[in-house]
Amino acid sequence: MQAASPRLPFAVKPTAHPVPEADRLKAFEALGFGTLFSDHMAVIRWSADKGWHSAEITARAPFPIDPAASVLHYAQEIFEGMKAYRTADGRAVLFRPQENARRFNESARRMAMPELPEEDFLAAVEGLVKIDARWIPQGEGSSLYLRPFMFASETFLGVRPSKEYIFCVIASPVGPYFKGGAKPVKIWVSETYTRAAAGGTGAAKCGGNYAASLVAQAEAAAHGCDQVVFLDAAEHRWVEELGGMNVFFVLEDGSIVTPPLSGTILPGITRKSLISLAADEGLTVREEPYSFDRWQADAASGRLKEAFACGTAAVVAGIGAVKFSGGEFRIGDGETGPVTTRLREALVGIQRGQTNDRNGWLHTLSGV
Ligand code: PLP
Ligand code: COI
């Protein structure tokens, strides 16, 4: 049996220049997404000769980076997205953080990067949330978004896996992801650009996937839409996922369909949680292919009652309308439907510590 590796010791170096409390409170008055950052960051370094080392929680600051650092050329980079919440009874909690630790390593394997032991990933996240606990916003719909990421930092232009990496976690207090708040979103179907093909990196959370999605996302914005939805690369027929969210369809008979984890979409933790919550509510979820043709036909016939997008940043967002090169159609009455609302409330209730967490998804941080 292999001995468990000892946990990395973290050097904790509090910043000498924390953001003044009055400035933080002012910034909290209008939270958007990803523009405001906490005082600290967690950093762990990896090199081929030393493995993981130099773990620290330190003042948030830029990295000095060599122009030949391989991430700048070959994009060897992965990331995660997770949130810390302040519950009504005052606890600081994380939602299913082990799932993020596991998925991070799945992404690392796909991108030929070193795996970070799950306990070190979790210690970095927890250490940052503890030191920056005052940055967890209290209000409904707001949270502390955590962004663990890793990039290739070796100064080398050859094309092979880097021999040095930096793992880092930063924290950003956030409000709603979409500017319209809880209003249903409008999405654009990209019939030209695809996100991922079989054997590619679609199931990994690597920066390159998002770089490749930006032109389609810009096209969506140019058509007045909030997000892009991608079809499969082989046939341009099957609905896959949005630029940063998974997608669900609620049918007339009460059943729910979501595209299967075929290797080309991200295995969302929100997706997985909603499938389980839907089952708890007595709803049937089928993980099966759903075509764009069927989507149009079901919306027209009224068989499709609701559709929604889900992810850590967006939580659960009703899809009110869909636009594509050939026209536009509405889903149901164009408003967020009752099943979407019910599932959203079930999820948010657990995340906020308001309803019974019978699956043990919340991880409470001690001493915060
Ligand atoms: N799909 C993509 C492409 C994403 O970027 C995200 C967000 O992380 C998701 C799906 C949803 O994943 P999760 O629910 O784990 O946040
Ligand atoms: C998330 O939901 O955490 C994401 O990563 C989606 C997007 C902000 C990239």
Side-chain angles (χ1 to χ4, degrees), residues 33 79-82 145 147 177 205 210 243-245 311-314:
F33 184 85
F79 69 98
E80 268 304 320
M82 54 205 289
Y145 184 76
R147 176 50 69 85
Y177 185 73
K205 207 159 164 57
Y210 298 81
M245 285 144 235
T312 298

Side-chain angles (χ1 to χ4, degrees), residues 81 103 195 205 210 241-246 266-271 310-313:
R103 187 172 66 185
R195 180 181 174 276
K205 207 159 164 57
Y210 298 81
E241 64 177 326
L242 276 60
M245 285 144 235
N246 293 115
L266 192 79
I269 295 161
T270 316
R271 175 190 181 278
C310 69
T312 298

Side-chain angles (χ1 to χ4, degrees), residues 236-258:
H236 288 229
R237 179 172 173 213
W238 305 102
V239 180
E240 295 242 299
E241 64 177 326
L242 276 60
M245 285 144 235
N246 293 115
V247 63
F248 284 72
F249 303 94
V250 182
L251 303 174
E252 190 179 38
D253 62 3
S255 69
I256 302 178
V257 173
T258 192

